[in-house]
Amino acid sequence: MRRRSPRRLLGILAAVTVAFTLFSPASAAGAAEPAAPATTAAVQPLSTSTPVVFVHGYTGSASNWVTAMSVFRLNGWSSSNLFAYEYNSYGNNITNAQGLATFVNDVKSRTGASKVAIVNHSMGGLVSQYYLKVLGGNTSVSHLASIAGANHGTTYAGACLIYTTCQQMYPGSSFISQITSGDETPGDTKYATWYSACDGIILPYTSTRMDGATNNNVICQTHIGYLADTVVLGQVARFIAS
């Protein structure tokens, strides 16, 4: 029988060792790092039982929230817990806020929930803030998410000052003073905003920020673009579920 050289025998031994390592239950690299406990790998379930009320912006409608509602359903919400409030964009935001109060009470009655979450866009921020702060609605709202909200007004409203709502939306108005003086985020409600330098309608774009809220600076998104931005809308859904 032909004898194998010592060098060849070493090569065969090395190959067997590599094969054993690759096909063993744990590789050398894996063995060096302890396995993560199963509890850290588990994702905490989202709390998606809170009804959500969407409040559109100037000249908007319930149709603005089609994508948002789809994102919320993907995150676990039932369609029966998603509602869109509509109001008169050319009337008075005090009246609009009073209508929101009635709408929220109706949602609470229909769902049996003690609180709702509110997601607003643009001028919907004024309607929502007046309801929470001036009308005491914060006791009925668990979370408020303001997407490009005109929370401190916008100079863009100067283009439509023939309407009361636009007069109220202009920076320095008595309406703005009411919702921004003192505590901007009253009660136990959790507040968050999303704003961007690329907004183009909320001027200055930092107007959306609120003291006491979690303010999220979006790198670049247009005012209307938010309504189709599934990334931001996903963040909003997860904020409300927190």
Side-chain angles (χ1 to χ4, degrees), residues 196-238:
S196 174
C198 299
D199 187 293
I201 299 296
I202 301 301
L203 304 172
Y205 72 94
T206 52
S207 173
T208 297
R209 294 173 55 93
M210 294 192 298
D211 289 339
T214 299
N215 298 297
N216 301 282
N217 187 358
V218 180
I219 297 302
C220 191
Q221 183 54 276
T222 63
H223 192 66
I224 300 301
Y226 280 110
L227 299 175
D229 190 331
T230 56
V231 173
V232 168
L233 294 172
Q235 292 172 0
V236 173
R238 288 187 290 276

Side-chain angles (χ1 to χ4, degrees), residues 43 61-62 75 91 99 106 235 239:
V43 177
S61 69
N75 277 275
D106 182 58
Q235 292 172 0
F239 161 70

Side-chain angles (χ1 to χ4, degrees), residues 8-239:
R8 186 174 181 185
L9 286 173
L10 289 174
I12 293 172
L13 180 60
V16 170
T17 302
V18 170
F20 177 78
T21 302
L22 289 175
F23 293 102
S24 64
S27 69
E33 299 176 3
T39 53
T40 60
V43 177
Q44 292 297 318
L46 298 178
S47 176
T48 58
S49 59
T50 302
V52 182
V53 175
F54 296 91
V55 185
H56 65 76
Y58 181 69
T59 72
S61 69
S63 63
N64 291 161
W65 300 110
V66 171
T67 300
M69 288 188 178
S70 176
V71 170
F72 270 71
R73 285 192 294 270
L74 288 173
N75 277 275
W77 266 267
S78 166
S79 295
S80 61
N81 270 340
L82 301 175
F83 303 86
Y85 170 60
E86 291 190 316
Y87 60 87
N88 181 7
S89 291
Y90 310 105
N92 188 310
N93 279 323
I94 295 176
T95 303
N96 294 334
Q98 292 168 341
L100 177 58
T102 301
F103 190 85
V104 167
N105 287 337
D106 182 58
V107 168
K108 288 167 60 180
S109 177
R110 290 169 60 182
T111 61
S114 59
K115 292 186 177 185
V116 306
I118 289 180
V119 178
N120 66 58
H121 177 248
S122 194
M123 193 173 74
L126 302 189
V127 177
S128 303
Q129 284 299 94
Y130 195 93
Y131 164 56
L132 265 73
K133 181 168 181 174
V134 182
L135 302 182
N138 63 83
T139 58
S140 292
V141 179
S142 64
H143 297 73
L144 177 75
S146 187
I147 306 172
N151 301 321
H152 292 87
T154 172
T155 57
Y156 199 87
C160 56
L161 290 178
I162 59 172
Y163 300 114
T164 300
T165 48
C166 289
Q167 295 170 15
Q168 294 169 329
M169 190 163 43
Y170 199 82
S173 70
S174 59
F175 186 95
I176 296 291
S177 295
Q178 276 188 287
I179 64 174
T180 59
S181 61
D183 187 2
E184 293 187 349
T185 52
D188 295 328
T189 304
K190 294 181 180 179
Y191 296 80
T193 73
W194 281 259
Y195 66 103
S196 174
C198 299
D199 187 293
I201 299 296
I202 301 301
L203 304 172
Y205 72 94
T206 52
S207 173
T208 297
R209 294 173 55 93
M210 294 192 298
D211 289 339
T214 299
N215 298 297
N216 301 282
N217 187 358
V218 180
I219 297 302
C220 191
Q221 183 54 276
T222 63
H223 192 66
I224 300 301
Y226 280 110
L227 299 175
D229 190 331
T230 56
V231 173
V232 168
L233 294 172
Q235 292 172 0
V236 173
R238 288 187 290 276
F239 161 70

